[in-house]
């Protein structure tokens, strides 16, 4: 191969860079002063979302799952001075049970309790009931929910005080809605 051909090929790489020409460019039709608005744009201007509609908030993009009934029962037990907490659906089926429950167990207690409350508390469906059971004390009441009344039941050394009920009701209603 001829050394002159190699030098010519490399000269394109090692030669001085060519300056781009400005010929053929037209002067701008708008002055820089015309590009600046007299009033600044508001900072909280809403960006357009997909399809040109309003922007979607980040919270709307991530679905936060509702807590499970087990989580709700744990929260209720933490709010009440009790050994056990149970959530029961309108049909008497246990949604969640936490803590210590005497024999015959949560499912049997729930079925009898919901049936008894349905009969005895027709005129005051959310009134609480309290009774001794197996050397402990059972306290129960019903909380309105979309699908009917959910029954919340606690086992403790003494009946639950009325002042703990509002926070427990709010916890259940937030999850049931």
């Amino acid at each position: 191969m001829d050394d002159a051909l190699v030098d010519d090929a490399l000269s394109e790489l090692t030669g001085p860079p060519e300056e781009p020409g400005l010929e053929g460019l037209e002067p701008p039709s708008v002055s820089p002063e015309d590009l600046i608005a007299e009033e600044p744009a508001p900072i909280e201007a809403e960006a357009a979302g997909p399809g040109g509609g309003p922007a979607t908030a980040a919270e709307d993009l991530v679905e936060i799952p509702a807590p499970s009934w087990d989580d709700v029962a744990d929260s209720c037990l933490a709010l009440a001075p009790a050994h056990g907490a149970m959530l029961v659906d309108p049909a008497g089926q246990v949604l969640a049970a936490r803590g210590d429950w005497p024999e015959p167990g949560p499912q049997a207690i729930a079925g009898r309790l919901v049936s008894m409350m349905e009969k005895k508390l027709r005129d005051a469906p959310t009134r609480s009931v309290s009774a001794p059971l197996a050397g402990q004390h059972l306290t129960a009441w019903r909380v309105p929910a979309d699908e009917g009344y959910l029954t919340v039941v606690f086992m403790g050394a003494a009946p639950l005080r009325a002042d703990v009920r509002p926070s427990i009701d709010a916890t259940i209603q937030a999850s049931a809605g």
Side-chain angles (χ1 to χ4, degrees), residues 74-151:
D74 286 337
S75 296
C76 290
L77 187 56
L79 292 168
H83 307 304
M86 176 171 35
L87 298 171
V88 185
D89 73 7
Q93 297 299 308
V94 175
L95 297 171
R98 290 290 188 255
D100 299 324
W101 289 93
E103 290 300 323
Q107 189 62 52
I109 293 170
R112 286 187 231 153
L113 182 63
V114 168
S115 175
M116 182 275 304
M117 290 177 82
E118 192 67 37
K119 291 175 189 167
K120 302 244 183 209
L121 301 178
R122 281 199 194 279
D123 296 333
T126 60
R127 194 178 103 209
S128 65
V129 295
S130 210
L133 179 67
Q136 299 180 58
H137 218 86
L138 179 142
T139 304
W141 65 87
R142 295 186 287 177
V143 178
D146 290 343
E147 64 273 357
Y149 290 102
L150 297 178
T151 303

Side-chain angles (χ1 to χ4, degrees), residues 33-45:
E33 291 80 20
D34 290 339
L35 294 174
I36 300 173
E38 289 184 25
E39 291 183 31
I43 293 174
E44 63 275 346

